[in-house]
Amino acid sequence: MKQIIQKIKQISILLLVLSFLSCEKEDEKNLPQITAGFTYTINVDTGTVTFINISESADSYEWSFGDETENSPATTSTEVNPIHTFASGTYTVLLKAKNVAGASNTFESIITFEIPEVFAFPVTFDNAKVSYTVATFSGTTFKIVDNPALGGTNNVASKVGEIVNSGAAFEGIALELGTDLDLTTNKSIKVNVWSDKAVDVLLKLEISESDAVETAVNHTGSGWEELTFSFSSSKSYPKVVVFIDGPGATTGTFYIDDLVQVASEESPAPLCEAETMQSLNAVDFNLTFMADPASSLTIIQDNTTYEYIDNIAATDANNSCKIGKLTNSNQNPWDNLQIDLASKLTFTNGSNFTMKVYSPQSGYKVTMKLEDKNDNSIKTEVASSATTKTNEWEVITVPFGATDSGKYDKIVLFFDLETQNGNTYYFDDLKLNAGSGGGNTGGGACTTDAAQSLSASSFDLTFLTDIGTIATKGADVGKFFQDNTTYEYVDNPGTSSVNNSCKVGKATNSNQNPWDNLQIDLTNKLAFTDGSNFTMKVYSPQSGYKVTLKLEDKTNGGIAKEFPSNETTTKINEWEVLTFPVSAADANIYDKIVLFFDLQTQNANTYYFDDLKLNLGSGGGNTGGNSGGSGTSSTLGGGTGCDDTITCPAAPVGELLFNGDFEACDCDWQLINNGGLVTISTTISNGGTKSAQIQSAAGVNPALKQERLGAGLIQPNTTYVVTFDIKASGEFGEGGLFKAFTFSEGENGGDVAATQHVLTENTTSISSASWESKSYTFTTPGSAAQVAGGISFLAELVNSAASVNIDNVVIKAQ
């Protein structure tokens, strides 16, 4: 009986199992079918992948991104559409899609990509992940090639940069970096350079054209050599420019490789220069730190620590070996350093203290307080202008006048008064400079100028009297117009043997534009002879800038030419003389003088100037003058046969360019010698009797130019045609090129840069047997602001052994 019951139980269980299996199979047939799948988008610059889930009939997901390593499992996610960032490489990404009933399906995809890397130092040209952005200019070509000459300092098979010079001056390459080159600490760059010729290699670091540093190193021509370029700047630079034989005309193929920034300790420190004099007397106070002043004077540290130390940054701006260090204690906003003197300080009108300062911050003022050391109720405070440099030396000025004389025998220095801090500041060359009443600057009492001339024929601005200012441009000839630069008639800030005048001009830029300037209109046109120049004395709290003198036609600003001074200024708070060469080719064109102090650098600096004087060359004059006249004719010296009485013509109807046939000699043309010679020929022409002749030579680029044609008439997005006839005297020779350009100009004095249009840049030969007629077109840019100043035309001959003659130049709308 038990056996029967047991069998019945077994049969029942079997039937139950069969029934369950039958139901399960039936349920599986009824479950929705799951299909796993995904697509994706890749940001190749960052390695970020956005996954797009296209699975069907699923409600949960398990992702594995295939980025496992020896030390960690793969990254996972349960999001529907995850976003994941990968490093460069190959990855198998797997998606498992499921539903609530437990059904699932998987899908996988292999993703491979390379993430571009930023172009930054070190530069080897071997990294396939880097897009090396290298620009060329002035005829150079560049490409990345296999090292063609293993040996020397580069005996490794790798990629290198090939530079091919055409022979033009200052042709080169520019490396446009993705990450700036920071010179805060590491100030040298090593470069492997291959050359089979002895040349100078120039390395230039740029933020902008006006804010650049450069240094040159000689290559012996022995193949691969490692050159080291050292800089004193602490700025960051986005562009590195390489010139092989920069100003020269060397042709050939050169290679560069392995540009590496060198640790600061490998950079040769500039040698300091020991001071030779110091005065701690009130009458001619000049604290140079030749010796520690604490050994001779009473120095009180009022919550400020003073130290006598080595110069932490010997540069051209301050090459002293010893300096003072001042550290605020962060106790009070008026932490200060005090210096007691043996006698009272003496001032005259125009006196000042100057001092060199260096700190890790800019934008603060140094305040000098003078006191009677026995009665501190007798005092005066004067602050400098705000500092502008960070970790660089600069000069600040604190002015005092005759009313402060004979009262004070204590100097108190506050760095960033009213700001409580624990900062460290460095200072040097705290010096008393006498005003026009005499003093320690070496010149004694000033001398009143005896004569002054504002005539174009004998211009000599001595500030014998104040020529004053005017409120609007074009009014009152012979007075300054202030174009965002303030003019003042002041006492000489530092009489010396170079300039002992009592009165000078003061120019203070407004920090509005890089071209803040002063302008003076003349009654007649300026007349010059070959060898003429302007000279001017300048004085400022900084060095290393150029003064630019621009001459204009006061009724047509498009007729203009700039004359930068020959030399960069070298003095700080000392007078020096600058020279601006002009020639007979510039005669009788201009009746306006424009002065730019440090053109292309926007600043609020103050400059002093005096004795702006026209000096004539061998043709005669004033050191004093020339027969000026108010006519509009243009005279070209050198025996060209030009008639001084010819009147400059208007542009022909429908054309833009004046005197394109040169029959009025050089009227309206700028003849730019640039080391060559540009003249008006009376023996070669293609119709008429004259043409322009450009004579070049190795390494020079003379040019012919006419500026700002049709100002106010040029239309944007319009096609213009340029035609001219040209003939050469022979073969240009190796590296010789003829180039022609036009420029769409922004408003004169505005902030819209010119747009260059290349007509021809690499013409290597011109017929010498007959005249060739050239025709080019260009289209002006689309903005009216870009053409408000008209069109300029420039033709130049570079590095040529032959000369060219140009005639019948025409520019007109198509």
Side-chain angles (χ1 to χ4, degrees):
M1 187 69 173
K2 289 182 178 179
Q3 291 179 351
I4 293 173
I5 294 172
Q6 182 68 32
K7 290 181 181 291
I8 292 172
K9 287 182 177 179
Q10 291 174 350
I11 292 170
S12 298
I13 291 170
L14 178 60
L15 291 172
L16 181 62
V17 170
L18 290 173
S19 174
F20 176 80
L21 291 173
S22 176
C23 290
E24 183 179 43
K25 289 182 178 181
E26 188 66 30
D27 287 343
E28 285 183 359
K29 291 180 181 178
N30 295 327
L31 287 174
Q33 293 298 307
I34 294 177
T35 302
F38 61 82
T39 61
Y40 53 84
T41 61
I42 298 175
N43 184 328
V44 295
D45 293 325
T46 64
T48 299
V49 179
T50 300
F51 292 94
I52 304 166
N53 196 330
I54 59 173
S55 301
E56 298 178 358
S57 302
D59 50 29
S60 64
Y61 309 96
E62 296 176 0
W63 296 82
S64 176
F65 296 114
D67 53 358
E68 65 272 7
T69 65
E70 292 182 4
N71 300 317
S72 61
T75 307
T76 61
S77 175
T78 59
E79 295 181 15
V80 177
N81 298 306
I83 298 174
H84 188 67
T85 299
F86 298 84
S88 295
T90 300
Y91 304 90
T92 300
V93 180
L94 184 144
L95 168 64
K96 184 176 182 181
K98 299 187 297 183
N99 65 17
V100 293
S104 65
N105 188 237
T106 60
F107 177 81
E108 66 181 34
S109 180
I110 298 175
I111 302 175
T112 300
F113 54 88
E114 294 288 343
I115 304 170
E117 295 182 8
V118 173
F119 185 11
F121 269 62
V123 179
T124 65
F125 301 110
D126 295 311
N127 192 341
K129 300 176 184 177
V130 175
S131 177
Y132 295 100
T133 306
V134 180
T136 62
F137 49 90
S138 299
T140 295
T141 62
F142 176 85
K143 61 182 177 180
I144 297 175
V145 300
D146 292 327
N147 187 346
L150 303 184
T153 59
N154 196 6
N155 196 27
V156 177
S158 65
K159 297 292 185 182
V160 300
E162 178 188 85
I163 301 172
V164 180
N165 274 9
S166 67
F170 289 107
E171 57 182 328
I173 65 169
L175 282 61
E176 306 280 357
L177 302 177
T179 299
D180 288 0
L181 180 66
D182 184 357
L183 295 186
T184 301
T185 303
N186 303 331
K187 298 183 183 296
S188 289
I189 298 171
K190 287 187 176 180
V191 185
N192 259 331
V193 180
W194 185 94
S195 175
D196 58 358
K197 304 172 183 178
V199 291
D200 282 341
V201 180
L202 177 67
L203 202 67
K204 184 178 183 181
L205 310 181
E206 292 185 2
I207 300 173
S208 64
E209 183 59 35
S210 61
D211 194 354
V213 293
E214 61 184 47
T215 186
V217 178
N218 178 257
H219 192 294
T220 66
S222 61
W224 283 108
E225 298 177 13
E226 187 177 66
L227 308 181
T228 300
F229 302 83
S230 296
F231 301 90
S232 60
S233 171
S234 296
K235 296 181 180 180
S236 295
Y237 296 88
K239 180 187 290 187
V240 178
V241 185
V242 181
F243 300 92
I244 307 294
D245 192 24
T250 300
T251 60
T253 301
F254 310 89
Y255 302 94
I256 63 168
D257 197 13
D258 303 325
L259 289 81
V260 180
Q261 190 172 11
V262 179
S264 57
E265 56 268 23
E266 297 183 39
S267 302
L271 296 176
C272 67
E273 184 174 342
E275 299 286 352
T276 59
M277 61 180 297
Q278 174 169 279
S279 174
L280 305 179
N281 297 319
V283 66
D284 58 355
F285 191 82
N286 187 14
L287 174 55
T288 64
F289 293 99
M290 181 178 74
D292 187 354
S295 61
S296 303
L297 295 175
T298 300
I299 295 182
I300 302 168
Q301 304 169 80
D302 187 0
N303 287 315
T304 294
T305 302
Y306 158 77
E307 298 174 72
Y308 177 69
I309 66 167
D310 292 333
N311 190 343
I312 63 166
T315 65
D316 290 341
N318 186 19
N319 206 27
S320 300
C321 289
K322 292 292 186 178
I323 60 172
K325 176 182 178 182
L326 184 150
T327 306
N328 287 343
S329 66
N330 203 24
Q331 293 295 307
N332 302 297
W334 54 86
D335 293 346
N336 65 78
L337 190 71
Q338 305 172 19
I339 303 173
D340 285 354
L341 305 176
S343 56
K344 303 288 188 180
L345 291 159
T346 301
F347 305 105
T348 55
N349 283 331
S351 295
N352 60 47
F353 276 98
T354 51
M355 182 168 66
K356 297 174 183 174
V357 297
Y358 178 108
S359 85
Q361 65 172 6
S362 63
Y364 66 91
K365 292 184 177 183
V366 177
T367 301
M368 181 176 291
K369 182 179 181 182
L370 303 181
E371 294 182 2
D372 183 310
K373 64 187 177 187
N374 297 314
D375 182 357
N376 60 14
S377 66
I378 302 174
K379 61 190 176 185
T380 185
E381 284 183 10
V382 180
S384 71
S385 298
T387 60
T388 61
K389 305 290 187 182
T390 300
N391 289 325
E392 292 184 50
W393 285 104
E394 65 181 305
V395 178
I396 56 100
T397 302
V398 185
F400 293 95
T403 57
D404 301 309
S405 188
K407 300 177 182 178
Y408 313 111
D409 49 12
K410 173 178 284 196
I411 300 171
V412 186
L413 296 176
F414 303 87
F415 287 79
D416 207 4
L417 179 62
E418 298 180 353
T419 301
Q420 185 171 320
N421 62 53
N423 292 342
T424 294
Y425 308 88
Y426 303 91
F427 64 108
D428 195 13
D429 295 334
L430 175 57
K431 182 181 181 183
L432 171 61
N433 305 286
S436 58
N440 77 310
T441 56
C446 68
T447 300
T448 301
D449 287 289
Q452 175 169 278
S453 172
L454 302 180
S455 169
S457 62
S458 58
F459 192 83
D460 188 7
L461 175 57
T462 65
F463 295 99
L464 170 68
T465 58
D466 184 6
I467 67 170
T469 60
I470 58 179
T472 57
K473 191 181 297 186
D476 295 335
V477 170
K479 295 183 178 180
F480 276 118
F481 166 68
Q482 304 169 94
D483 188 2
N484 287 315
T485 294
T486 301
Y487 158 77
E488 298 174 71
Y489 179 67
V490 299
D491 293 332
N492 188 338
T495 55
S496 68
S497 57
V498 176
N499 187 18
N500 205 29
S501 299
C502 289
K503 292 292 186 177
V504 300
K506 177 181 177 182
T508 304
N509 288 344
S510 66
N511 202 26
Q512 293 295 307
N513 303 298
W515 53 85
D516 293 347
N517 64 78
L518 289 176
Q519 306 173 16
I520 184 169
D521 288 352
L522 306 177
T523 303
N524 298 319
K525 302 285 186 180
L526 290 158
F528 312 112
T529 54
D530 283 329
S532 298
N533 61 47
F534 280 94
T535 53
M536 183 169 69
K537 297 172 183 175
V538 297
Y539 176 109
S540 86
Q542 66 171 7
S543 63
Y545 66 92
K546 283 193 174 184
V547 178
T548 300
L549 183 146
K550 183 179 182 181
L551 301 180
E552 294 183 3
D553 182 309
K554 66 188 178 189
T555 61
N556 182 356
I559 301 174
K561 185 175 182 180
E562 291 180 3
F563 301 85
S565 55
N566 271 344
E567 301 293 336
T568 300
T569 60
T570 61
K571 306 291 186 182
I572 296 176
N573 289 322
E574 293 184 47
W575 286 102
E576 60 186 307
V577 179
L578 303 180
T579 303
F580 309 85
V582 293
S583 69
D586 305 307
N588 297 320
I589 303 173
Y590 312 109
D591 49 11
K592 179 192 286 276
I593 298 172
V594 187
L595 295 177
F596 302 90
F597 292 86
D598 207 3
L599 179 61
Q600 298 180 351
T601 301
Q602 186 170 320
N603 62 53
N605 292 341
T606 294
Y607 310 87
Y608 300 90
F609 63 107
D610 196 12
D611 297 333
L612 175 58
K613 183 179 183 181
L614 171 60
N615 308 284
L616 291 190
S618 57
N622 70 317
T623 60
N626 189 8
S627 55
S630 57
T632 57
S633 65
S634 177
T635 305
L636 182 72
T640 61
C642 287
D643 185 347
D644 292 356
T645 65
I646 293 176
T647 300
C648 293
V653 176
E655 299 180 16
L656 298 175
L657 193 138
F658 300 82
N659 191 27
D661 57 6
F662 303 97
E663 294 306 299
C665 285
D666 64 332
C667 279
D668 300 303
W669 286 100
Q670 295 181 28
L671 310 183
I672 307 169
N673 289 330
N674 280 352
L677 182 63
V678 186
T679 59
I680 303 300
S681 172
T682 58
T683 59
I684 301 175
S685 65
N686 192 27
T689 60
K690 301 180 182 69
S691 66
Q693 185 174 84
I694 308 176
Q695 175 65 65
S696 184
V700 300
N701 59 325
L704 182 71
K705 186 176 185 182
Q706 204 171 136
E707 289 188 331
R708 297 185 172 274
L709 307 165
L713 302 175
I714 304 301
Q715 297 299 309
N717 198 29
T718 300
T719 301
Y720 288 84
V721 180
V722 181
T723 60
F724 55 84
D725 300 329
I726 188 168
K727 182 180 180 181
S729 65
E731 296 295 326
F732 287 177
E734 185 178 2
L737 294 171
F738 173 75
K739 304 184 178 188
F741 309 90
T742 54
F743 302 85
S744 294
E745 304 279 2
E747 183 179 0
N748 192 22
D751 57 2
V752 177
T755 303
Q756 183 184 48
H757 310 287
V758 178
L759 306 180
T760 179
E761 195 169 21
N762 293 296
T763 299
T764 57
S765 65
I766 296 290
S767 172
S768 59
S770 61
W771 287 89
E772 293 184 31
S773 295
K774 300 291 186 181
S775 179
Y776 306 95
T777 61
F778 68 95
T779 302
T780 54
S783 167
Q786 292 175 286
V787 297
I791 297 294
S792 297
F793 171 80
L794 174 71
E796 64 177 345
L797 188 61
V798 180
N799 203 50
S800 173
S803 63
V804 297
N805 283 70
I806 299 175
D807 204 358
N808 303 321
V809 187
V810 175
I811 303 177
K812 60 183 179 180
Q814 189 175 51

